[in-house]
Amino acid sequence: MALIEFSDKGLYCPIGNFFIDPWKPVDNAVITHAHSDHARWGSKNYLCHTQTKPLLQLRLGNNNYQTVDWNESVYINQVKVSLHPAGHIIGSSQIRVEYNGEVWVVSGDYKLENDGISGEFEPVKCHTFITESTFGLPIYKWKPQQEIFQQIQQWILNNQSQNKCSVLIAYSLGKAQRVLQAVTKVTDNIWVHGAIYNTYETLINAGWQLPLLKRVTPETTKEALHNAVVIAPPSADGTPWMKKFYTYSVGVCSGWMQVRGNARRRNVDAGFVLSDHADWNGLLQAVKATEANKVFVTHGFQSAFARHLNEHGIEAAEVKTAFGDEEDVQENNSGSTNE
Amino acid sequence: MKAFANLINQLNSSTKTSDKLKALSDYFAVATDKDKVWVIALFSGRRPKRAVTATQLKTWCMESINMQPWLFEECYNTVGDLAETIALLLSNQHNSSQNFPLHHYIETLISIEKESEAVKKNYILQSWQQLTQDEIFVFNKLITGGFRIGVSQKLMVNALAKTTQLSSSVITHRISGQWNAANTSFHHLLSEEANSIDASKPYPFYLAYALDGALKDLGNENEWQAEWKWDGIRGQIIKRSNELFVWSRGEELMTDKFPEYQIFSNLLHNGTVLDGEIICLQLNTGNTFKPLPFALLQTRIGRKNISKKELSNSPVGFIAYDVLEYDGEDIRNKPLTERRYLLEQIIQAVHHPSLQLSPLIHFNNWHELAQQQQNARAFDAEGIMLKRKNSVYQVGRKTGDWWKWKVAPLTIDAVMIYAQKGHGRRSNLYTDYTFAVKDGDKLVPFTKAYSGLTDKEFAQVDAFVKKNALEKFGPVRTVKPELVFEIAFEGIAASNRHKSGVALRFPRILRWRQDKKADEINTLEDLKQLLEQYGK
């Protein structure tokens, strides 16, 4: 029996009788992070990182949550489980599973660069590594965050000089908090969409130190938004909600902006190549650091990345999962998310 | 090169015409004359001949980064653009480059065209090493062409008009026709006095918008002239200095493609320019003609040399509907009625079956005309052209005086069976589909279509394809035959190059039939009936 199996409800550990990021309701769910394609509603018991719990409460309501810190071990039916920073968003974790000396690691979503808020990715040695591959093609290579932050700041200053409002499109959990670090350096007139404000309040209540943000409401006047920065989720892009900010320029923060055609399709004025996922080199580096002798590749360019690993002496296979890229999910179902 | 890469980035990142116009006119205001001429040439489709092939670029890129061909193809299919794929894969991240001006790169590329492969490779690799990522992209584009940045010739002309003292229509005319950027100075091209127009130069075409309102909104029917809208290629026949030139609407010189027209060189007077339709004609007794399907013309325009067989199978004629130059004088500002009168004189004098006059449609009121329009297919026309009798011949697409009014398209319900990723703004999205009709329990592919869905629908179909794809690699995915679409097209012709035996004219997706199941689609028999009815 494999330590982790790929079932129709998600990644399953039969010995421990728990699932990791199940996409259907189960008894025991271990959650890598609070994005909606990984943390789903309806399970009886949830195990997650301490920082993830308030976010799950916000998104899934009150449930039976058990929390652990990074590198703290718990046993589930004799299977040793521990969480390790994945660097993707606040609280995001890799799940290490050990039984009888055999170690598997489920990466969840991750990135290698330390973004200042999500914790620094920790390579964990294992026999079998289950990795994501959202940006698993060599065309995806990220520049350092600092460089992208400078682009964003330059863009905001440029908009201000033309009396334009700067609307930054960023996913409400993760990217929005990340870009705040860049935005606060050039302005303190920062407004956010309701979905981002909810996350913000939750994080403030959980003790996070975040700059002062203002929520855009129907009462917000046009004058107040003059030359401001507005942060909004992808689902708000192109909706009548944006009219209030006129004249404005739209900047999208996403790894998909790497390819010109994507930026054109999104009809954006500026695309910032900023992703919370590992780029091609990051994925390769992470896989090598685990020293795993078997790699399973999930959501993204799994066929290409698995084939490349096999050609380079690392045994790899692809696995179909129901995880998507949350940015994709947003883009395709804009308006239908519950935010 | 830095300035040009910047310009391309600005044009690429904005979606507003006003921003693009500003970026272009800012560039024209500061660029050197030599660079300006090349930018005009590039944006008006006058890119120099390819010095290096796409395959060579691909191979050299893979070699220099030691990449497997399959992985390169995966990247290319995702990016949807070769120049960009290479720029993304070459990983030099330096931000400054050794910087030559734009014309230096273009002229070097021209100069190595006849050199050995080793010389070419050396130059390309060296340039890649010296340039930044954005510059590699535009450098590659100089070779592969097609910037896809939404700059129409019209937009460029408007930007030029802002930086010179010339009007848009004069500029459009000046930069039309045959000229080579390598030996044309900016002064010669666009100075106020320069005016030695070469004999081959065509006039910019006046293009009609599709009629969107009601006929009665056009006012009094007596003020309008109606003609059939033919399904050929819009063209200009020019006779000047004892030479004949034939231009297509795409500003391509096509004189050699149509030997049938050579006779006009003797029959037309010098200083004559005719506007009309290049189209295959079956000539009947009594100087009447029947237009033949576009598919026949298509078999000829792709060929370098035209065989005797093709000449007799698909004889090309010209249906003239306007005269722009008469006796060496530009008469575009005379009213249509006067130009029409002169045109009739010319056609009569030439008196040759290959040069036909576009017949007028007689109608007493709008209601009568509407009935005629419904009947257009019976006359082998794709609709009606409406032109205001006192209209002058304008430049480009202008609203108000000329309208095209096409008949409703033919339609067929079909199921999607293959999908392929698109290019440009559709990169990494499955947007190019192949459709099939039923033949018993088999599915027979009969057309591809690339347009007609909204971005949202494309995203939904894309998600379906990604979930239901059978192969893992390469650009084409076979998908479960489940999604039904109504396909619209302008015409149908027999074809032995297609499995289905038919070729469609301008197929596109009319709507997604989410109300229909795959077993409710049309059959091959239905297609054959349409062929029988409209394809002869």
Side-chain angles (χ1 to χ4, degrees):
Chain A
M1 192 181 343
L3 190 50
I4 292 177
E5 294 174 349
F6 304 100
S7 79
D8 57 356
K9 291 177 181 170
L11 305 178
Y12 178 57
C13 174
I15 301 167
N17 187 29
F18 63 86
F19 288 82
I20 296 171
D21 292 352
W23 46 84
K24 286 178 182 162
V26 298
D27 286 346
N28 302 307
V30 181
I31 300 298
T32 60
H33 64 288
H35 276 152
S36 55
D37 53 332
H38 289 260
R40 307 231 184 180
W41 171 89
S43 291
K44 279 191 192 143
N45 304 302
Y46 291 90
L47 175 70
C48 64
H49 186 261
T50 321
Q51 293 171 353
T52 300
K53 182 182 168 185
L55 297 166
L56 290 187
Q57 282 173 320
L58 169 70
R59 295 176 157 222
L60 306 180
N62 274 323
N63 288 294
N64 189 13
Y65 298 111
Q66 185 191 347
T67 63
V68 285
D69 282 329
W70 284 319
N71 286 299
E72 179 191 336
S73 301
V74 292
Y75 283 86
I76 310 178
N77 303 323
Q78 286 112 51
V79 176
K80 186 177 167 188
V81 177
S82 58
L83 273 58
H84 304 266
H88 176 60
I89 60 166
I90 285 174
S92 67
S93 306
Q94 307 172 75
I95 315 289
R96 182 184 184 278
V97 177
E98 180 182 350
Y99 182 75
N100 258 353
E102 187 182 353
V103 180
W104 288 49
V105 170
V106 176
S107 77
D109 291 340
Y110 64 95
K111 69 170 175 291
L112 272 63
E113 187 181 26
N114 186 346
D115 66 10
I117 49 166
S118 308
E120 187 166 7
F121 177 87
E122 176 192 318
V124 183
K125 293 207 185 354
C126 57
H127 300 103
T128 305
F129 186 47
I130 302 177
T131 181
E132 62 134 325
S133 61
T134 307
F135 290 106
L137 280 183
I139 49 171
Y140 298 109
K141 274 175 257 170
W142 311 147
K143 291 190 171 139
Q145 168 168 292
Q146 203 42 44
E147 214 171 299
I148 305 297
F149 279 7
Q150 277 165 10
Q151 289 176 12
I152 295 175
Q153 288 158 348
Q154 196 50 51
W155 173 74
I156 293 170
L157 293 175
N158 192 29
N159 289 337
Q160 287 175 340
S161 74
Q162 297 174 44
N163 279 319
K164 279 184 189 169
C165 178
S166 307
V167 181
L168 263 182
I169 301 295
Y171 191 61
S172 62
L173 173 56
K175 208 74 67 69
Q177 292 81 40
R178 189 176 171 194
V179 294
L180 259 185
Q181 302 174 90
V183 174
T184 47
K185 295 263 162 57
V186 286
T187 181
D188 51 13
N189 192 14
I190 309 168
W191 295 77
V192 295
H193 184 272
I196 296 175
Y197 198 81
N198 290 342
T199 308
Y200 169 75
E201 273 187 319
T202 302
L203 291 171
I204 293 282
N205 291 336
W208 287 85
Q209 301 282 325
L210 294 171
L212 182 71
L213 300 184
K214 291 165 277 191
R215 179 184 194 142
V216 179
T217 66
E219 287 74 43
T220 310
T221 61
K222 255 186 107 93
E223 290 68 38
L225 292 161
H226 190 65
N227 277 353
V229 172
V230 177
I231 306 177
S235 57
D237 190 9
T239 64
W241 180 80
M242 308 257 292
K243 275 192 188 140
K244 200 190 279 268
F245 315 129
Y246 197 77
T247 6
Y248 58 81
S249 179
V250 180
V252 171
C253 306
S254 161
W256 299 114
M257 293 298 110
Q258 175 86 334
V259 174
R260 285 162 191 258
N262 285 331
R264 287 235 304 284
R265 176 157 82 235
R266 292 281 291 269
N267 235 355
V268 302
D269 301 306
F272 301 108
V273 186
L274 188 73
S275 177
D276 283 328
H277 294 271
D279 64 2
W280 171 258
N281 291 330
L283 291 170
L284 286 175
Q285 195 185 324
V287 165
K288 280 179 195 151
T290 63
E291 295 174 15
N293 45 32
K294 171 89 192 182
V295 176
F296 290 103
V297 185
T298 68
H299 57 297
F301 292 96
Q302 62 267 24
S303 320
F305 191 57
R307 181 168 172 183
H308 180 82
L309 289 178
N310 279 317
E311 285 181 359
H312 287 75
I314 298 171
E315 192 192 336
E318 55 174 304
V319 179
K320 284 223 158 160
T321 57
F323 308 131
D325 173 53
E326 64 279 354
E327 294 170 88
D328 254 358
V329 172
Q330 287 274 333
E331 195 177 347
N332 294 343
N333 313 327
S334 50
S336 66
T337 47
N338 56 3
E339 294 180 316
Chain B
M1 192 69 147
K2 182 145 280 163
F4 183 63
N6 244 335
L7 170 67
I8 296 298
N9 257 349
Q10 281 178 27
L11 294 173
N12 193 48
S13 65
S14 179
T15 52
K16 297 181 188 81
T17 309
S18 56
D19 289 349
K20 292 187 182 202
L21 185 64
K22 185 173 183 308
L24 274 169
S25 45
D26 286 354
Y27 178 85
F28 284 131
V30 295
T32 62
D33 282 358
K34 263 191 143 176
D35 281 1
K36 278 193 276 196
V37 171
W38 274 115
V39 170
I40 295 169
L42 291 173
F43 288 169
S44 63
R46 289 176 178 76
R47 189 170 48 85
K49 214 171 144 196
R50 268 187 199 206
V52 173
T53 66
T55 313
Q56 285 172 321
L57 286 180
K58 222 186 254 189
T59 311
W60 299 337
C61 173
M62 286 190 289
E63 268 176 37
S64 71
I65 53 172
N66 190 19
M67 178 173 280
Q68 292 291 321
W70 72 265
L71 187 53
F72 186 93
E73 288 303 320
E74 282 301 301
C75 292
Y76 176 40
N77 288 331
T78 298
V79 175
D81 182 290
L82 182 65
E84 187 180 357
T85 307
I86 293 173
L88 288 172
L89 287 174
L90 298 171
S91 52
N92 40 337
Q93 297 279 352
H94 51 84
N95 288 321
S96 64
S97 59
Q98 193 172 340
N99 227 294
F100 297 111
L102 172 68
H103 70 262
H104 175 89
Y105 288 97
I106 300 179
E107 282 162 14
T108 312
L109 283 171
I110 294 172
S111 73
I112 61 168
E113 196 209 315
K114 298 262 185 308
E115 297 287 340
S116 68
E117 181 161 335
V119 170
K120 293 180 182 179
K121 181 174 174 180
N122 184 40
Y123 176 66
I124 301 293
L125 291 183
Q126 181 199 324
S127 304
W128 280 346
Q129 245 169 26
Q130 287 165 354
L131 297 170
T132 66
Q133 187 171 298
D134 283 345
E135 290 163 359
I136 293 175
F137 170 68
V138 295
F139 174 76
N140 292 346
K141 278 289 181 194
L142 295 178
I143 300 166
T144 63
F147 278 96
R148 292 179 199 269
I149 42 176
V151 173
S152 60
Q153 176 156 325
K154 192 170 169 185
L155 188 68
M156 178 183 69
V157 164
N158 287 340
L160 284 169
K162 276 185 135 183
T163 43
T164 63
Q165 299 301 310
L166 299 173
S167 73
S168 304
S169 53
V170 170
I171 295 172
T172 312
H173 191 198
R174 291 273 190 86
I175 66 170
S176 65
Q178 233 178 348
W179 54 275
N180 183 345
N183 52 32
T184 305
S185 72
F186 187 73
H187 180 81
H188 180 79
L189 198 61
L190 286 180
S191 80
E192 285 145 68
E193 63 273 18
N195 220 342
S196 56
I197 283 190
D198 86 275
S200 75
K201 210 170 265 292
Y203 291 101
F205 286 91
Y206 179 15
L207 306 172
Y209 272 101
L211 185 67
D212 47 5
L215 278 177
K216 59 175 171 28
D217 296 340
L218 296 178
N220 188 340
E221 50 268 78
N222 294 328
E223 290 170 13
W224 292 86
Q225 166 181 317
E227 295 160 77
W228 296 115
K229 182 178 185 324
W230 305 110
D231 186 17
I233 301 174
R234 183 88 179 269
Q236 247 176 69
I237 291 184
I238 297 173
K239 167 77 187 293
R240 290 187 193 121
S241 313
N242 297 321
E243 251 194 289
L244 192 84
F245 305 94
V246 181
W247 289 93
S248 74
R249 205 201 102 185
E251 283 210 11
E252 198 185 336
L253 193 57
M254 305 181 95
T255 318
D256 300 337
K257 302 244 181 221
F258 310 115
E260 289 97 332
Y261 295 166
Q262 272 316 312
I263 182 89
F264 305 149
S265 184
N266 302 325
L267 300 174
L268 288 170
H269 290 294
N270 273 320
T272 305
V273 178
L274 301 179
D275 180 14
E277 202 82 2
I278 300 168
I279 188 166
C280 286
L281 295 179
Q282 173 190 316
L283 302 168
N284 301 326
T285 49
N287 197 20
T288 59
F289 64 88
K290 176 183 165 62
L292 298 171
F294 183 78
L296 274 182
L297 184 60
Q298 217 166 16
T299 61
R300 286 195 42 175
I301 45 187
R303 303 273 159 89
K304 265 216 171 100
N305 302 306
I306 293 131
S307 68
K308 275 220 172 91
K309 192 174 155 226
E310 280 158 344
L311 277 177
S312 70
N313 281 355
S314 32
V316 167
F318 193 80
I319 305 177
Y321 31 69
D322 217 323
V323 51
L324 314 182
E325 186 174 307
Y326 184 78
D327 213 4
E329 188 195 343
D330 176 358
I331 59 164
R332 291 176 296 162
N333 281 324
K334 289 190 192 294
L336 174 63
T337 324
E338 274 183 51
R339 300 200 308 274
R340 172 85 194 182
Y341 175 77
L342 294 172
L343 180 68
E344 287 168 2
Q345 308 299 311
I346 294 169
I347 308 275
Q348 254 179 28
V350 168
H351 194 67
H352 189 279
S354 295
L355 182 63
Q356 296 285 345
L357 179 69
S358 162
L360 298 182
I361 303 170
H362 295 285
F363 62 103
N364 294 313
N365 53 54
W366 289 131
H367 178 69
E368 263 182 47
L369 187 67
Q371 281 179 330
Q372 298 258 46
Q373 194 262 0
Q374 300 273 318
N375 247 338
R377 276 187 214 284
F379 292 86
D380 304 294
E382 52 175 18
I384 278 178
M385 291 297 305
L386 275 166
K387 299 173 182 173
R388 203 184 284 277
K389 285 180 179 167
N390 64 3
S391 61
V392 301
Y393 192 93
Q394 303 191 62
V395 169
R397 204 176 290 282
K398 296 277 158 55
T399 180
D401 285 346
W402 284 23
W403 299 100
K404 58 180 176 191
W405 185 22
K406 287 199 183 183
V407 286
L410 301 168
T411 65
I412 205 123
D413 288 335
V415 69
M416 177 177 77
I417 54 169
Y418 307 123
Q420 189 165 356
K421 284 179 179 177
H423 291 86
R425 68 187 286 273
R426 293 152 154 206
S427 70
N428 202 24
L429 264 193
Y430 287 98
T431 58
D432 303 356
Y433 312 127
T434 301
F435 298 95
V437 285
K438 266 195 307 194
D439 183 24
D441 50 6
K442 281 192 314 236
L443 289 171
V444 182
F446 70 105
T447 190
K448 288 184 177 194
Y450 306 88
S451 64
L453 294 183
T454 63
D455 283 357
K456 201 174 164 190
E457 287 170 326
F458 271 130
Q460 287 171 332
V461 178
D462 172 70
F464 173 85
V465 173
K466 283 175 181 157
K467 259 192 217 119
N468 295 282
L470 299 179
E471 303 89 355
K472 285 176 198 160
F473 295 102
V476 180
R477 296 283 177 272
T478 306
V479 295
K480 243 200 270 175
E482 202 174 292
L483 304 187
V484 177
F485 297 86
E486 186 173 350
I487 308 298
F489 46 98
E490 297 302 318
I492 182 166
S495 161
N496 47 21
R497 284 161 55 186
H498 298 82
K499 219 186 207 171
S500 61
V502 300
L504 305 187
R505 174 91 167 114
F506 190 33
R508 70 270 184 191
I509 304 167
L510 195 62
R511 65 180 74 92
W512 184 358
R513 297 298 302 260
Q514 286 173 298
D515 56 322
K516 282 205 170 184
K517 294 217 175 67
D519 56 2
E520 297 174 73
I521 59 173
N522 283 106
T523 61
L524 189 61
E525 196 48 43
D526 297 335
L527 264 183
K528 286 185 174 155
Q529 272 183 20
L530 287 178
L531 179 66
E532 192 58 37
Q533 205 175 344
Y534 300 108
K536 301 286 169 187

